[in-house]
Amino acid sequence: MQKEVGSLIIGVLALQGGVNEHVHHIESIGCKSILVKNALDLSLIDGLIIPGGESTTISKLLKLTNLDSEIIQKAKQGLPIWGTCAGMILLSKEIENDENGHLSLINIRVKRNAYGRQIDSFVAKDIINSIDSSEEFPMVFIRAPYVSKILSSQVEILASIDNNIVAVREGNILATSFHPELTSDLRFHKYFIDICIKNKFN
Ligand code: GLN
């Protein structure tokens, strides 16, 4: 990757959920990482990952710490943000059969726990063209949501499994139903870091 990688600081929202695995991937690629727990942390970073976990819990903690409005402000200024699983739910504008969106930063509607109990967790493999058209990407789903509706033509569909949309991008906001941090494959993290590099240096 580009020489700029070493100068990037990627934040991982560290209120609840699977933080360490993202940190490991970011550092394996050669970026610095910090745990984001307050507005000061947020001011230091070139990109933010919102990890999987429990979206209702993370949402409550976002409100308590006031980080919700800080993140929304940073996103509007162009900070790249990637949400995995619960992170996707937190970023989406609408949530099916549920309350309104939390951060409402990407024009999608999601269905929580969309895959039903008997297949709460599973792994799928498919080509994701934006990531790498030559080799399938492993996708780990854990009580995952999927995108049930796209609410803007600006939203790009990156991946679908069984006709359900599981990865999307709208400008600086990226959301995946699955967990690339739970595999040893670094390509999705590299894709996000590339967005962060373009945002910082172009
Ligand atoms: N089902 C969880 C939620 O609704 C998300 C699960 C996950 O992040 N692995 O928040």
Side-chain angles (χ1 to χ4, degrees):
M1 283 184 95
Q2 302 94 318
K3 57 182 181 334
E4 293 94 337
V5 164
S7 69
L8 277 200
I9 304 177
I10 305 296
V12 183
L13 186 69
L15 301 176
Q16 190 264 337
V19 175
N20 294 344
E21 295 83 358
H22 277 297
V23 168
H24 172 268
H25 274 36
I26 292 162
E27 294 183 352
S28 300
I29 293 168
C31 297
K32 297 183 192 73
S33 74
I34 62 170
L35 304 185
V36 172
K37 296 184 176 177
N38 55 46
L40 177 63
D41 301 331
L42 203 60
S43 70
L44 302 173
I45 60 177
D46 304 307
L48 176 69
I49 295 178
I50 304 180
E54 198 52 49
S55 55
T56 45
T57 306
I58 300 176
S59 175
K60 280 186 194 133
L61 295 170
L62 279 172
K63 286 198 182 83
L64 267 176
T65 53
N66 236 0
L67 265 175
D68 53 351
S69 47
E70 303 279 350
I71 290 173
I72 291 167
Q73 198 186 332
K74 283 280 176 190
K76 305 273 181 220
Q77 292 164 1
L79 181 75
I81 303 181
W82 172 22
T84 55
C85 203
M88 170 190 259
I89 296 166
L90 289 161
L91 288 172
S92 66
K93 187 161 187 190
E94 294 181 6
I95 303 165
E96 232 168 77
N97 303 322
D98 211 325
E99 69 274 41
N100 292 329
H102 301 287
L103 297 169
S104 293
L105 287 171
I106 183 163
N107 281 300
I108 56 172
R109 180 186 299 160
V110 294
K111 187 169 161 117
R112 286 182 71 196
N113 301 320
Y115 289 97
R117 240 166 234 182
Q118 66 280 34
I119 45 166
D120 271 349
S121 304
F122 62 98
V123 184
K125 275 188 154 202
D126 204 356
I127 294 280
I128 303 181
N129 278 316
S130 317
I131 306 301
D132 181 354
S133 56
S134 66
E135 204 182 312
E136 290 184 323
F137 191 86
M139 295 177 249
V140 178
F141 295 82
I142 303 171
R143 294 198 308 117
Y146 61 61
V147 179
S148 55
K149 193 166 184 198
I150 300 284
L151 304 171
S152 161
S153 58
Q154 301 302 306
V155 177
E156 183 189 351
I157 297 171
L158 302 179
S160 300
I161 293 290
D162 297 335
N163 291 321
N164 295 317
I165 300 164
V166 294
V168 283
R169 175 178 176 185
E170 185 178 5
N172 54 324
I173 309 294
L174 184 61
T176 54
S177 305
F178 51 89
H179 295 268
E181 77 283 9
L182 296 182
T183 72
S184 57
D185 199 313
L186 298 174
R187 285 176 294 167
F188 218 103
H189 286 74
K190 286 184 178 161
Y191 173 68
F192 178 64
I193 284 166
D194 201 44
I195 296 172
C196 299
I197 290 174
K198 290 197 178 102
N199 179 61
K200 185 170 182 176
F201 295 102
N202 289 353

